[in-house]
Amino acid sequence: MSKSMYEFILPDIGEGISEAMLISWTVKVGQQVAEGEEVATVSTDKVDVELPAPCAGIVGELCWKPGDTIKVGSVFMRIDTGDKVVATRAPGGRKHGKAADKTKLPKPELVPGEILPGMRLAAPQSVTTPDFGTARLVTAAPSTRKLAADLGIDLAAVTGSGDGGLILRADVERFAQLRATQSRAAGTAETRREPLSGVRAAMAERMARSVHTLAHSTMNFEMRADAFLTMIERLKPGAREAGIRISVTALLAKCLEGPLRRHARFNATIDEERRELVLHGAVNLGVAMATERGLVVPVLQGIGGATLFAIARQLGDVVARARSGNLAAAEMAGGTFTLSNTGALETATIVSTRPVINAPQAATLWVSRAQQRPVVSDGGLGVGQVINGSLSFDHRFIDGADTVAFINDFAAMVETPERALAGE
């Protein structure tokens, strides 16, 4: 290969993303491109991203076709830079070519979770579905299109319930269920396979790595929630006037930020290579959320010492964009602790779980919905609101005594929320 032929290596454009699906090219072979000019749109497990040209030149080769799934570190395209010598980098940062030290156009490093200069989030694509022989234009996210292809469903036959007729994952799943019901009614049983792909595949890989690397230990506990729920009701009118929604998750986050500042081992990440616990000054709280694309964990940045209204405003913003699929990859990176609240999903009584730590974080917390339970108070039996919690931690770095102290602190904030609101 000519020294002037630059190999554009597909970078990691999300937090730990291992592959991306090519949605479309915006350039052709032989076309002149400028550095930073958009060349393609790809879909990761979480977001769609427009990729910029890393250097100027003439497009020499487009190595993939729309619909292909491309591994991070693979050659994405080749650009003829003329008489400019550019070193190519393979995954891991190794340079190839005798003229590597003469590089004039630097190649972006493959840094996990980094959004490279010029990258932009792309809107959901309107595409035809030639695999099924239809010319009707449909609108669906790449993960939804892949699910339909895996299930053998023609998207042209599916009615979208999203904005502007956008076909959602739930629409495809309902169509598949209806087809199965009709098939059973006709006397033919149907067996189908559901592939592990998209967000679920990425989350499965992260969880498996966490379980096999970290020394998971879990403590289960319960907290009285009468004062907590009363506080939310008291704050709602003022919040509405300010255009803010005070939710259980928002107040839980406020009750957590103080204990996370006081118990630094829980507001920490693990450097496995150096076998060190990294204690963070800023509290960046990840909030686990179920969405149409699967589980995502947007991060509330810098909430240490923040007011409840500030936390609620930031939470409302990320929740809205997570549900619409408009979160940037950078907004799901940098978390120091993760909160999972399944209260809105529960109808059964869930007593405890064993939440999987969101590595490289050192700990994670699950809480249930508040439920009426028999409680003992001042020697008498009564009825009160109770919230269950399960705290998982890496026992290599955090001891049981540390965990008890953290739980005691957090429970005190929940049971007397005015202390949390006062900044304790």
mmCIF file of all heavy atoms in Angstrom, residues 16-57:
data_model
loop_
_atom_site.group_PDB
_atom_site.id
_atom_site.type_symbol
_atom_site.label_atom_id
_atom_site.label_comp_id
_atom_site.label_asym_id
_atom_site.label_seq_id
_atom_site.Cartn_x
_atom_site.Cartn_y
_atom_site.Cartn_z
ATOM 1 N N GLY A 16 -16.689 1.855 26.352
ATOM 2 C CA GLY A 16 -16.495 0.424 26.262
ATOM 3 C C GLY A 16 -17.196 -0.223 25.086
ATOM 4 O O GLY A 16 -17.368 -1.436 25.048
ATOM 5 N N ILE A 17 -17.633 0.578 24.091
ATOM 6 C CA ILE A 17 -18.328 0.023 22.924
ATOM 7 C C ILE A 17 -17.343 -0.808 22.109
ATOM 8 O O ILE A 17 -16.234 -0.382 21.820
ATOM 9 C CB ILE A 17 -18.915 1.143 22.058
ATOM 10 C CG1 ILE A 17 -19.990 1.905 22.851
ATOM 11 C CG2 ILE A 17 -19.498 0.605 20.773
ATOM 12 C CD1 ILE A 17 -21.149 1.063 23.286
ATOM 13 N N SER A 18 -17.742 -2.040 21.722
ATOM 14 C CA SER A 18 -16.841 -2.920 20.989
ATOM 15 C C SER A 18 -17.139 -2.972 19.497
ATOM 16 O O SER A 18 -16.314 -3.456 18.727
ATOM 17 C CB SER A 18 -16.920 -4.342 21.564
ATOM 18 O OG SER A 18 -18.243 -4.854 21.436
ATOM 19 N N GLU A 19 -18.304 -2.470 19.068
ATOM 20 C CA GLU A 19 -18.650 -2.521 17.656
ATOM 21 C C GLU A 19 -19.684 -1.446 17.347
ATOM 22 O O GLU A 19 -20.293 -0.865 18.245
ATOM 23 C CB GLU A 19 -19.191 -3.905 17.290
ATOM 24 C CG GLU A 19 -20.470 -4.271 18.039
ATOM 25 C CD GLU A 19 -20.934 -5.693 17.753
ATOM 26 O OE1 GLU A 19 -20.110 -6.507 17.304
ATOM 27 O OE2 GLU A 19 -22.126 -5.988 17.972
ATOM 28 N N ALA A 20 -19.854 -1.187 16.058
ATOM 29 C CA ALA A 20 -20.849 -0.219 15.610
ATOM 30 C C ALA A 20 -21.428 -0.698 14.290
ATOM 31 O O ALA A 20 -20.775 -1.415 13.529
ATOM 32 C CB ALA A 20 -20.233 1.170 15.453
ATOM 33 N N MET A 21 -22.670 -0.291 14.004
ATOM 34 C CA MET A 21 -23.311 -0.648 12.742
ATOM 35 C C MET A 21 -23.256 0.558 11.808
ATOM 36 O O MET A 21 -23.575 1.673 12.204
ATOM 37 C CB MET A 21 -24.764 -1.056 12.969
ATOM 38 C CG MET A 21 -25.497 -1.428 11.668
ATOM 39 S SD MET A 21 -27.278 -1.678 11.926
ATOM 40 C CE MET A 21 -27.242 -3.138 12.964
ATOM 41 N N LEU A 22 -22.819 0.325 10.565
ATOM 42 C CA LEU A 22 -22.782 1.393 9.565
ATOM 43 C C LEU A 22 -24.184 1.655 9.055
ATOM 44 O O LEU A 22 -24.848 0.756 8.534
ATOM 45 C CB LEU A 22 -21.864 0.998 8.407
ATOM 46 C CG LEU A 22 -21.806 1.975 7.229
ATOM 47 C CD1 LEU A 22 -21.277 3.342 7.673
ATOM 48 C CD2 LEU A 22 -20.944 1.404 6.100
ATOM 49 N N ILE A 23 -24.641 2.907 9.229
ATOM 50 C CA ILE A 23 -25.959 3.284 8.727
ATOM 51 C C ILE A 23 -25.854 3.760 7.278
ATOM 52 O O ILE A 23 -26.585 3.295 6.406
ATOM 53 C CB ILE A 23 -26.570 4.402 9.598
ATOM 54 C CG1 ILE A 23 -26.790 3.889 11.027
ATOM 55 C CG2 ILE A 23 -27.883 4.883 9.011
ATOM 56 C CD1 ILE A 23 -27.316 4.943 11.975
ATOM 57 N N SER A 24 -24.920 4.687 7.019
ATOM 58 C CA SER A 24 -24.812 5.216 5.659
ATOM 59 C C SER A 24 -23.471 5.902 5.463
ATOM 60 O O SER A 24 -22.854 6.383 6.412
ATOM 61 C CB SER A 24 -25.942 6.221 5.381
ATOM 62 O OG SER A 24 -25.848 7.333 6.266
ATOM 63 N N TRP A 25 -23.025 5.933 4.207
ATOM 64 C CA TRP A 25 -21.865 6.731 3.800
ATOM 65 C C TRP A 25 -22.376 8.070 3.268
ATOM 66 O O TRP A 25 -23.429 8.117 2.625
ATOM 67 C CB TRP A 25 -21.070 6.030 2.699
ATOM 68 C CG TRP A 25 -20.335 4.795 3.128
ATOM 69 C CD1 TRP A 25 -20.662 3.508 2.846
ATOM 70 C CD2 TRP A 25 -19.122 4.747 3.887
ATOM 71 N NE1 TRP A 25 -19.748 2.643 3.397
ATOM 72 C CE2 TRP A 25 -18.782 3.376 4.040
ATOM 73 C CE3 TRP A 25 -18.297 5.721 4.462
ATOM 74 C CZ2 TRP A 25 -17.652 2.961 4.736
ATOM 75 C CZ3 TRP A 25 -17.167 5.307 5.159
ATOM 76 C CH2 TRP A 25 -16.855 3.951 5.296
ATOM 77 N N THR A 26 -21.627 9.119 3.488
ATOM 78 C CA THR A 26 -21.976 10.419 2.905
ATOM 79 C C THR A 26 -20.922 10.847 1.878
ATOM 80 O O THR A 26 -20.959 11.973 1.391
ATOM 81 C CB THR A 26 -22.104 11.491 4.004
ATOM 82 O OG1 THR A 26 -20.926 11.493 4.805
ATOM 83 C CG2 THR A 26 -23.301 11.190 4.889
ATOM 84 N N VAL A 27 -19.978 9.941 1.586
ATOM 85 C CA VAL A 27 -18.951 10.203 0.572
ATOM 86 C C VAL A 27 -18.869 9.010 -0.376
ATOM 87 O O VAL A 27 -19.395 7.938 -0.091
ATOM 88 C CB VAL A 27 -17.576 10.459 1.230
ATOM 89 C CG1 VAL A 27 -17.588 11.726 2.062
ATOM 90 C CG2 VAL A 27 -17.150 9.273 2.088
ATOM 91 N N LYS A 28 -18.185 9.215 -1.514
ATOM 92 C CA LYS A 28 -17.993 8.155 -2.499
ATOM 93 C C LYS A 28 -16.508 7.997 -2.789
ATOM 94 O O LYS A 28 -15.710 8.917 -2.565
ATOM 95 C CB LYS A 28 -18.732 8.486 -3.797
ATOM 96 C CG LYS A 28 -20.231 8.654 -3.645
ATOM 97 C CD LYS A 28 -20.867 9.045 -4.973
ATOM 98 C CE LYS A 28 -22.366 9.221 -4.833
ATOM 99 N NZ LYS A 28 -22.999 9.631 -6.118
ATOM 100 N N VAL A 29 -16.142 6.844 -3.317
ATOM 101 C CA VAL A 29 -14.759 6.623 -3.739
ATOM 102 C C VAL A 29 -14.398 7.635 -4.825
ATOM 103 O O VAL A 29 -15.190 7.870 -5.756
ATOM 104 C CB VAL A 29 -14.569 5.183 -4.264
ATOM 105 C CG1 VAL A 29 -13.177 5.006 -4.849
ATOM 106 C CG2 VAL A 29 -14.776 4.180 -3.139
ATOM 107 N N GLY A 30 -13.235 8.244 -4.671
ATOM 108 C CA GLY A 30 -12.781 9.247 -5.621
ATOM 109 C C GLY A 30 -13.163 10.668 -5.231
ATOM 110 O O GLY A 30 -12.708 11.623 -5.862
ATOM 111 N N GLN A 31 -13.971 10.817 -4.197
ATOM 112 C CA GLN A 31 -14.414 12.150 -3.764
ATOM 113 C C GLN A 31 -13.339 12.813 -2.903
ATOM 114 O O GLN A 31 -12.713 12.182 -2.067
ATOM 115 C CB GLN A 31 -15.720 12.031 -2.975
ATOM 116 C CG GLN A 31 -16.260 13.350 -2.447
ATOM 117 C CD GLN A 31 -17.570 13.173 -1.714
ATOM 118 O OE1 GLN A 31 -18.326 12.244 -1.982
ATOM 119 N NE2 GLN A 31 -17.853 14.081 -0.787
ATOM 120 N N GLN A 32 -13.143 14.110 -3.108
ATOM 121 C CA GLN A 32 -12.223 14.889 -2.270
ATOM 122 C C GLN A 32 -12.934 15.222 -0.950
ATOM 123 O O GLN A 32 -14.085 15.660 -0.951
ATOM 124 C CB GLN A 32 -11.828 16.181 -2.978
ATOM 125 C CG GLN A 32 -10.888 17.079 -2.183
ATOM 126 C CD GLN A 32 -9.466 16.553 -2.160
ATOM 127 O OE1 GLN A 32 -8.964 16.068 -3.182
ATOM 128 N NE2 GLN A 32 -8.822 16.640 -1.012
ATOM 129 N N VAL A 33 -12.245 14.976 0.178
ATOM 130 C CA VAL A 33 -12.820 15.299 1.486
ATOM 131 C C VAL A 33 -11.860 16.193 2.249
ATOM 132 O O VAL A 33 -10.632 16.112 2.087
ATOM 133 C CB VAL A 33 -13.122 14.041 2.320
ATOM 134 C CG1 VAL A 33 -14.214 13.218 1.679
ATOM 135 C CG2 VAL A 33 -11.873 13.218 2.554
ATOM 136 N N ALA A 34 -12.419 17.058 3.072
ATOM 137 C CA ALA A 34 -11.618 17.921 3.932
ATOM 138 C C ALA A 34 -11.551 17.312 5.324
ATOM 139 O O ALA A 34 -12.429 16.541 5.719
ATOM 140 C CB ALA A 34 -12.235 19.322 4.007
ATOM 141 N N GLU A 35 -10.507 17.643 6.060
ATOM 142 C CA GLU A 35 -10.402 17.157 7.433
ATOM 143 C C GLU A 35 -11.588 17.674 8.246
ATOM 144 O O GLU A 35 -11.933 18.847 8.201
ATOM 145 C CB GLU A 35 -9.103 17.643 8.075
ATOM 146 C CG GLU A 35 -8.906 17.138 9.496
ATOM 147 C CD GLU A 35 -7.574 17.556 10.092
ATOM 148 O OE1 GLU A 35 -6.760 18.159 9.352
ATOM 149 O OE2 GLU A 35 -7.354 17.288 11.280
ATOM 150 N N GLY A 36 -12.255 16.764 8.965
ATOM 151 C CA GLY A 36 -13.410 17.130 9.769
ATOM 152 C C GLY A 36 -14.731 17.033 9.028
ATOM 153 O O GLY A 36 -15.790 17.169 9.637
ATOM 154 N N GLU A 37 -14.702 16.796 7.715
ATOM 155 C CA GLU A 37 -15.942 16.668 6.941
ATOM 156 C C GLU A 37 -16.616 15.341 7.269
ATOM 157 O O GLU A 37 -15.958 14.309 7.406
ATOM 158 C CB GLU A 37 -15.626 16.736 5.450
ATOM 159 C CG GLU A 37 -16.839 16.605 4.544
ATOM 160 C CD GLU A 37 -16.460 16.669 3.067
ATOM 161 O OE1 GLU A 37 -15.322 17.097 2.768
ATOM 162 O OE2 GLU A 37 -17.294 16.287 2.218
ATOM 163 N N GLU A 38 -17.938 15.352 7.384
ATOM 164 C CA GLU A 38 -18.672 14.134 7.703
ATOM 165 C C GLU A 38 -18.506 13.110 6.582
ATOM 166 O O GLU A 38 -18.662 13.432 5.403
ATOM 167 C CB GLU A 38 -20.156 14.444 7.895
ATOM 168 C CG GLU A 38 -20.998 13.210 8.198
ATOM 169 C CD GLU A 38 -22.491 13.480 8.100
ATOM 170 O OE1 GLU A 38 -22.883 14.663 8.165
ATOM 171 O OE2 GLU A 38 -23.247 12.515 7.928
ATOM 172 N N VAL A 39 -18.190 11.854 6.959
ATOM 173 C CA VAL A 39 -18.023 10.799 5.960
ATOM 174 C C VAL A 39 -19.035 9.676 6.118
ATOM 175 O O VAL A 39 -19.334 8.968 5.158
ATOM 176 C CB VAL A 39 -16.589 10.222 5.995
ATOM 177 C CG1 VAL A 39 -15.574 11.281 5.599
ATOM 178 C CG2 VAL A 39 -16.248 9.631 7.358
ATOM 179 N N ALA A 40 -19.553 9.483 7.336
ATOM 180 C CA ALA A 40 -20.476 8.364 7.538
ATOM 181 C C ALA A 40 -21.253 8.566 8.828
ATOM 182 O O ALA A 40 -20.861 9.338 9.696
ATOM 183 C CB ALA A 40 -19.711 7.042 7.596
ATOM 184 N N THR A 41 -22.363 7.825 8.941
ATOM 185 C CA THR A 41 -23.127 7.752 10.184
ATOM 186 C C THR A 41 -23.129 6.309 10.650
ATOM 187 O O THR A 41 -23.412 5.395 9.865
ATOM 188 C CB THR A 41 -24.572 8.241 9.990
ATOM 189 O OG1 THR A 41 -24.563 9.593 9.546
ATOM 190 C CG2 THR A 41 -25.356 8.148 11.291
ATOM 191 N N VAL A 42 -22.783 6.085 11.916
ATOM 192 C CA VAL A 42 -22.778 4.742 12.486
ATOM 193 C C VAL A 42 -23.646 4.732 13.735
ATOM 194 O O VAL A 42 -23.898 5.760 14.354
ATOM 195 C CB VAL A 42 -21.352 4.271 12.835
ATOM 196 C CG1 VAL A 42 -20.474 4.214 11.592
ATOM 197 C CG2 VAL A 42 -20.719 5.155 13.904
ATOM 198 N N SER A 43 -24.096 3.541 14.096
ATOM 199 C CA SER A 43 -24.910 3.371 15.296
ATOM 200 C C SER A 43 -24.160 2.500 16.282
ATOM 201 O O SER A 43 -23.726 1.395 15.946
ATOM 202 C CB SER A 43 -26.248 2.713 14.944
ATOM 203 O OG SER A 43 -26.979 2.437 16.114
ATOM 204 N N THR A 44 -23.989 3.003 17.510
ATOM 205 C CA THR A 44 -23.429 2.186 18.586
ATOM 206 C C THR A 44 -24.585 1.582 19.353
ATOM 207 O O THR A 44 -25.739 1.714 18.965
ATOM 208 C CB THR A 44 -22.558 3.032 19.525
ATOM 209 O OG1 THR A 44 -23.416 3.888 20.296
ATOM 210 C CG2 THR A 44 -21.567 3.876 18.747
ATOM 211 N N ASP A 45 -24.263 0.917 20.458
ATOM 212 C CA ASP A 45 -25.308 0.321 21.276
ATOM 213 C C ASP A 45 -26.196 1.367 21.928
ATOM 214 O O ASP A 45 -27.273 1.050 22.409
ATOM 215 C CB ASP A 45 -24.682 -0.544 22.386
ATOM 216 C CG ASP A 45 -23.864 -1.682 21.816
ATOM 217 O OD1 ASP A 45 -24.318 -2.292 20.848
ATOM 218 O OD2 ASP A 45 -22.767 -1.933 22.328
ATOM 219 N N LYS A 46 -25.728 2.627 22.000
ATOM 220 C CA LYS A 46 -26.471 3.644 22.734
ATOM 221 C C LYS A 46 -26.855 4.845 21.891
ATOM 222 O O LYS A 46 -27.924 5.415 22.091
ATOM 223 C CB LYS A 46 -25.651 4.109 23.952
ATOM 224 C CG LYS A 46 -25.333 2.967 24.924
ATOM 225 C CD LYS A 46 -24.605 3.479 26.137
ATOM 226 C CE LYS A 46 -24.177 2.346 27.060
ATOM 227 N NZ LYS A 46 -25.287 1.588 27.606
ATOM 228 N N VAL A 47 -26.005 5.275 20.966
ATOM 229 C CA VAL A 47 -26.283 6.482 20.206
ATOM 230 C C VAL A 47 -25.857 6.309 18.757
ATOM 231 O O VAL A 47 -25.052 5.439 18.425
ATOM 232 C CB VAL A 47 -25.539 7.715 20.800
ATOM 233 C CG1 VAL A 47 -26.081 8.072 22.159
ATOM 234 C CG2 VAL A 47 -24.039 7.458 20.881
ATOM 235 N N ASP A 48 -26.426 7.153 17.880
ATOM 236 C CA ASP A 48 -25.990 7.246 16.493
ATOM 237 C C ASP A 48 -25.034 8.421 16.383
ATOM 238 O O ASP A 48 -25.277 9.483 16.946
ATOM 239 C CB ASP A 48 -27.174 7.445 15.558
ATOM 240 C CG ASP A 48 -28.117 6.258 15.576
ATOM 241 O OD1 ASP A 48 -27.755 5.206 16.101
ATOM 242 O OD2 ASP A 48 -29.237 6.408 15.051
ATOM 243 N N VAL A 49 -23.929 8.249 15.667
ATOM 244 C CA VAL A 49 -22.865 9.252 15.615
ATOM 245 C C VAL A 49 -22.440 9.490 14.175
ATOM 246 O O VAL A 49 -22.318 8.550 13.390
ATOM 247 C CB VAL A 49 -21.629 8.795 16.433
ATOM 248 C CG1 VAL A 49 -20.508 9.809 16.334
ATOM 249 C CG2 VAL A 49 -22.001 8.571 17.887
ATOM 250 N N GLU A 50 -22.246 10.783 13.823
ATOM 251 C CA GLU A 50 -21.707 11.146 12.520
ATOM 252 C C GLU A 50 -20.187 11.227 12.648
ATOM 253 O O GLU A 50 -19.663 11.969 13.473
ATOM 254 C CB GLU A 50 -22.284 12.494 12.076
ATOM 255 C CG GLU A 50 -23.781 12.444 11.833
ATOM 256 C CD GLU A 50 -24.389 13.808 11.553
ATOM 257 O OE1 GLU A 50 -23.642 14.807 11.672
ATOM 258 O OE2 GLU A 50 -25.577 13.875 11.230
ATOM 259 N N LEU A 51 -19.466 10.465 11.830
ATOM 260 C CA LEU A 51 -18.010 10.409 11.908
ATOM 261 C C LEU A 51 -17.377 11.424 10.961
ATOM 262 O O LEU A 51 -17.769 11.504 9.792
ATOM 263 C CB LEU A 51 -17.500 9.005 11.555
ATOM 264 C CG LEU A 51 -17.860 7.881 12.521
ATOM 265 C CD1 LEU A 51 -17.278 6.574 12.009
ATOM 266 C CD2 LEU A 51 -17.348 8.171 13.911
ATOM 267 N N PRO A 52 -16.380 12.182 11.433
ATOM 268 C CA PRO A 52 -15.680 13.130 10.578
ATOM 269 C C PRO A 52 -14.438 12.493 9.952
ATOM 270 O O PRO A 52 -13.866 11.551 10.497
ATOM 271 C CB PRO A 52 -15.272 14.227 11.567
ATOM 272 C CG PRO A 52 -15.010 13.468 12.834
ATOM 273 C CD PRO A 52 -15.995 12.328 12.859
ATOM 274 N N ALA A 53 -14.020 13.025 8.820
ATOM 275 C CA ALA A 53 -12.772 12.581 8.201
ATOM 276 C C ALA A 53 -11.607 13.022 9.083
ATOM 277 O O ALA A 53 -11.527 14.188 9.472
ATOM 278 C CB ALA A 53 -12.625 13.174 6.808
ATOM 279 N N PRO A 54 -10.686 12.112 9.418
ATOM 280 C CA PRO A 54 -9.567 12.483 10.283
ATOM 281 C C PRO A 54 -8.485 13.270 9.554
ATOM 282 O O PRO A 54 -7.592 13.834 10.185
ATOM 283 C CB PRO A 54 -9.041 11.129 10.756
ATOM 284 C CG PRO A 54 -9.404 10.194 9.655
ATOM 285 C CD PRO A 54 -10.702 10.689 9.094
ATOM 286 N N CYS A 55 -8.545 13.312 8.220
ATOM 287 C CA CYS A 55 -7.557 14.062 7.452
ATOM 288 C C CYS A 55 -8.145 14.390 6.087
ATOM 289 O O CYS A 55 -9.173 13.852 5.677
ATOM 290 C CB CYS A 55 -6.260 13.256 7.305
ATOM 291 S SG CYS A 55 -6.469 11.696 6.424
ATOM 292 N N ALA A 56 -7.494 15.279 5.372
ATOM 293 C CA ALA A 56 -7.943 15.659 4.035
ATOM 294 C C ALA A 56 -7.346 14.717 2.993
ATOM 295 O O ALA A 56 -6.276 14.140 3.190
ATOM 296 C CB ALA A 56 -7.536 17.100 3.736
ATOM 297 N N GLY A 57 -8.051 14.550 1.881
ATOM 298 C CA GLY A 57 -7.545 13.707 0.807
ATOM 299 C C GLY A 57 -8.662 13.240 -0.094
ATOM 300 O O GLY A 57 -9.763 13.790 -0.090
#
